[in-house]
Amino acid sequence: LRPTGDSAPPWRSTIAPATRWHTRFKVGFNADEAHNIVKECIDGVLGGEDYNQNNINQWTASIVEQSLAHLVKLGKAYKYIVTCAVVQRSPYGFHTASSCFWDTTSDGTCTVRWENRTMNCIVNVFAIAIVL
Amino acid sequence: VKISREVGFNADEAHNIVKECIDGVLGGEDYNQNNINQWTASIVEQSLAHLVKLGKAYKYIVTCAVVQRSPYGFHTASSCFWDTTSDGTCTVRWENRTMNCIVNVFAIAIVL
């Protein structure tokens, strides 16, 4: 070790680089994790059910609320938007599209498609990083 | 000198922008399986482009669902975890004889 000067602590070296302390930040949106969370929510709400006009409003609301709650519980610095569309299976056409203007390095999305004999369900998760 | 900053998301302005985009793409058309992918893509892209052109400090997410009109059920829901003072949403419902269209705009304020 070589002393760097009177004011410097004696253990600081000019040869070795200064020690950096890293705090781990999880960067980026984990789409797989979100996918699993949402799929479990849909299974829990729609699994084993047939399309039912009386219940469908409650089901779609439950899916988005439960998915959102589980995502927030991950404790990451993200804002979330969860959308859910359920259609009764039929020969009629149904199409969805989405487009985003955001920070592609930090924000992300994930889409879960689910179906059973009587229903098709599409859930989109959009995650926007909160800049602290 | 006061620089005026519009705070909050202007849902009416977004509503008008999106409605014009839908009218421009779907107006006068009948449901057509060959074109529907291109139509939904055009609606979200044009809406997004016009919203961004407003020049406000917002990130935008635009979603569009088009269903062929039928006796069959179709339901949508959405839920958001965000800053209710600065972020906002707007939903535009449009229909004609053969199609129903629902477009959602979600606007997240960019903290500068």
Side-chain angles (χ1 to χ4, degrees):
Chain A
L1 293 178
R2 221 183 289 161
T4 56
D6 289 338
S7 57
W11 58 84
R12 184 170 292 176
S13 161
T14 57
I15 304 170
T19 306
R20 285 202 184 89
W21 295 97
H22 286 276
T23 310
R24 272 258 172 93
F25 284 109
K26 286 186 181 167
V27 285
F29 172 62
N30 190 335
D32 291 334
E33 186 178 42
H35 193 282
N36 293 336
I37 287 172
V38 168
K39 190 178 178 305
E40 275 191 37
C41 289
I42 305 174
D43 286 337
V45 175
L46 298 183
E49 303 279 356
D50 283 339
Y51 181 85
N52 183 333
Q53 193 174 333
N54 296 326
N55 294 340
I56 192 64
N57 272 339
Q58 182 188 328
W59 288 340
T60 46
S62 295
I63 290 169
V64 293
E65 285 165 14
Q66 288 177 26
S67 300
L68 192 64
H70 282 99
L71 288 164
V72 170
K73 256 198 252 177
L74 294 173
K76 298 186 180 175
Y78 275 95
K79 295 178 176 180
Y80 297 100
I81 295 157
V82 182
T83 67
C84 171
V86 179
V87 285
Q88 194 176 3
R89 289 191 75 157
S90 75
Y92 291 87
F94 166 60
H95 292 260
T96 63
S98 67
S99 197
C100 309
F101 175 76
W102 59 20
D103 183 341
T104 53
T105 60
S106 60
D107 305 329
T109 179
C110 133
T111 301
V112 181
R113 293 166 191 80
W114 185 100
E115 68 182 33
N116 69 5
R117 203 178 50 88
T118 56
M119 303 185 270
N120 277 103
C121 176
I122 293 182
V123 175
N124 281 311
V125 175
F126 303 97
I128 317 279
I130 296 173
V131 180
L132 296 163
Chain B
V1 174
K2 265 199 184 157
I3 302 170
S4 76
R5 278 170 186 241
E6 286 186 49
V7 283
F9 172 61
N10 189 334
D12 291 334
E13 186 177 42
H15 193 282
N16 292 337
I17 286 172
V18 169
K19 189 175 179 306
E20 275 190 38
C21 288
I22 305 175
D23 285 337
V25 175
L26 298 183
E29 302 281 353
D30 284 339
Y31 181 85
N32 183 332
Q33 192 173 333
N34 296 327
N35 295 341
I36 191 64
N37 274 336
Q38 181 188 329
W39 288 343
T40 47
S42 295
I43 289 168
V44 291
E45 285 164 14
Q46 289 177 24
S47 301
L48 192 63
H50 283 100
L51 288 164
V52 169
K53 255 196 256 179
L54 294 173
K56 297 186 181 173
Y58 275 96
K59 295 179 177 180
Y60 296 101
I61 295 159
V62 182
T63 68
C64 171
V66 178
V67 286
Q68 194 176 6
R69 289 192 74 158
S70 76
Y72 290 88
F74 165 61
H75 292 260
T76 64
S78 66
S79 196
C80 310
F81 175 76
W82 60 19
D83 184 341
T84 52
T85 59
S86 61
D87 306 330
T89 180
C90 132
T91 302
V92 181
R93 295 167 190 79
W94 186 99
E95 68 181 32
N96 68 7
R97 201 177 51 87
T98 58
M99 303 184 271
N100 278 103
C101 176
I102 294 181
V103 176
N104 281 310
V105 175
F106 302 97
I108 318 280
I110 297 172
V111 180
L112 295 163

